[in-house]
Amino acid sequence: MKLKNLILACTRTRNYKKLAVVGMILTSNKLNEFGIKLGMRPCNKNKGEKIFEYMMMINEVFLKNLKIPIFPDEILYSLQECEQVFLKTRGEIPREYVKRIFANYFELTKIDIPNLHEKLQFEDLTMTTPGNLFSFVSSMAQKKRTNDDFLRPLLLQKIQQQETQLQKEYATRMDVHKLESAIHLKHMKDNLTNHKSKKITVQGTLKDNISYQRSQTHIFSYFIFGVGLLFFLYGVLLLLQMILQPSTIDMFGLLIPICFVPCIVLYVLYKKYNKEGGN
């Protein structure tokens, strides 16, 4: 009601700048709410990140993991155009753009986003799988003699079929339960493709099944790994030199910590960066 009254008041006074500012703030807050529920960071306004860039980042992550976008292209590109005009004119935008900002905001409020911080539940997995697939998978671990080479591809094929069906359904109608089901299926597929495990484990949260590393962060990630590898190889060469020529121990002994300590630090940074997706 307060928002409706504000829109009416600003429309009467033709204070479209105030309306535009309010609309952009509401949109930004809603997107931050989505991002946090999806296990991601808020929009980084301090570094000049734009709303549409944040939306594209979220879409990229979920397209990479589930082949499912969170935001439809029509909303994303409409907000992109509105935001660019808003920033260029410092809020002094025409009435038509104000209407589009609020139209996009109200469309965003219709999107139901699951809370990926919730724990995985056994019941959710059983409801996600077709027929008695989950009980069939679970029984694999209980059988002493199971032809794993035959069962695993069969189960993966069944899961892939249902993933494809979910992607088609999600493209026509966005649904929170379909998104959760897609994450559950990914969890099962990851368990089955891990050859160390012969059963599907139910642990952790939904967001644990999502890789938040974006494709454009790979270069920096590989740079960290590459520098660490150089330190490691140089340290190995020094060790071999000292083994082959013990007389060089006094000369190169102090260089060993200088090589391997940065190597360990860079490896920790590499793992941490990959886990957080470079955000």
Side-chain angles (χ1 to χ4, degrees), residues 41-42 67 94 103 105 117 137 156 163 167 181 209 214 224:
R41 60 166 174 79
K67 296 183 175 62
Y105 167 72
H117 295 274
V137 175
L156 287 172
E163 281 184 323
Q167 290 160 13
S181 294
N209 298 282
R214 300 174 65 198
I224 295 175

Side-chain angles (χ1 to χ4, degrees), residues 8 40 70 88 105 107 112 132 173 186 194 230 267:
L8 290 173
M40 305 182 73
I70 300 298
K88 185 177 180 179
Y105 167 72
E107 285 299 316
D112 194 5
N132 61 349
R173 182 176 180 273
K186 183 178 184 297
N194 177 13
L230 287 175
Y267 176 76

Side-chain angles (χ1 to χ4, degrees), residues 14-192:
R14 296 187 178 181
N15 190 351
Y16 299 127
K17 180 177 181 178
K18 183 176 181 179
L19 269 182
V21 171
V22 171
M24 295 300 291
I25 291 174
L26 288 173
T27 302
S28 178
N29 291 342
K30 176 58 66 174
L31 291 172
N32 281 335
E33 177 189 328
F34 286 170
I36 292 170
K37 289 177 71 176
L38 292 171
M40 305 182 73
R41 60 166 174 79
C43 182
N44 199 338
K45 295 180 181 178
N46 293 332
K47 292 186 177 181
E49 185 175 32
K50 298 177 177 62
I51 287 176
F52 79 89
E53 291 174 341
Y54 185 63
M55 295 173 71
M56 290 177 66
M57 179 189 73
I58 293 176
N59 267 5
E60 182 182 339
V61 167
F62 283 86
L63 281 169
K64 172 187 172 184
N65 283 270
L66 308 174
K67 296 183 175 62
I68 290 177
I70 300 298
F71 307 110
D73 286 344
E74 55 268 24
I75 295 179
L76 195 156
Y77 293 121
S78 179
L79 272 173
Q80 177 182 4
E81 184 180 351
C82 291
E83 185 175 25
Q84 288 174 338
V85 175
F86 178 86
L87 294 174
K88 185 177 180 179
T89 62
R90 297 185 178 182
E92 299 287 354
I93 63 177
R95 179 183 177 183
E96 290 71 23
Y97 282 100
V98 177
K99 292 171 66 176
R100 284 176 60 183
I101 290 173
F102 278 95
N104 289 323
Y105 167 72
F106 288 122
E107 285 299 316
L108 287 175
T109 60
K110 297 177 184 178
I111 299 177
D112 194 5
I113 298 293
N115 184 0
L116 301 194
H117 295 274
E118 293 180 355
K119 291 187 176 181
L120 278 167
Q121 300 294 330
F122 181 87
E123 294 78 7
D124 293 331
L125 290 180
T126 56
M127 292 175 64
T128 298
T129 54
N132 61 349
L133 178 60
F134 186 80
S135 59
F136 184 51
V137 175
S138 300
S139 66
M140 290 171 58
Q142 300 174 5
K143 295 181 180 180
K144 294 182 180 180
R145 301 182 67 181
T146 302
N147 190 347
D148 192 47
D149 291 336
F150 168 74
L151 289 176
R152 198 179 297 272
L154 176 63
L155 294 169
L156 287 172
Q157 182 184 15
K158 293 288 186 182
I159 291 173
Q160 182 61 51
Q161 289 173 354
Q162 196 171 10
E163 281 184 323
T164 303
Q165 182 62 31
L166 276 172
Q167 290 160 13
K168 292 179 180 177
E169 293 175 0
Y170 197 85
T172 57
R173 182 176 180 273
M174 302 177 68
D175 186 292
V176 62
H177 300 297
K178 289 184 176 65
L179 186 60
E180 288 178 338
S181 294
I183 296 174
H184 293 151
L185 289 170
K186 183 178 184 297
H187 172 77
M188 290 195 297
K189 185 168 66 175
D190 290 345
N191 271 258
L192 288 172

Side-chain angles (χ1 to χ4, degrees), residues 234-269:
Y234 187 64
V236 170
L237 288 174
L238 290 178
L239 282 175
L240 290 174
Q241 179 69 23
M242 289 188 292
I243 292 172
L244 295 174
Q245 295 183 348
S247 60
T248 61
I249 292 178
D250 292 337
M251 183 185 303
F252 298 133
L254 293 176
L255 294 177
I256 296 299
I258 296 176
C259 291
F260 286 109
V261 170
C263 179
I264 295 171
V265 172
L266 288 169
Y267 176 76
V268 172
L269 286 174

Side-chain angles (χ1 to χ4, degrees), residues 2-12 19 22 102 106:
K2 290 182 178 179
L3 178 58
K4 183 178 180 180
N5 292 337
L6 176 64
I7 293 174
L8 290 173
C10 291
T11 302
R12 283 196 299 266
L19 269 182
V22 171
F102 278 95
F106 288 122

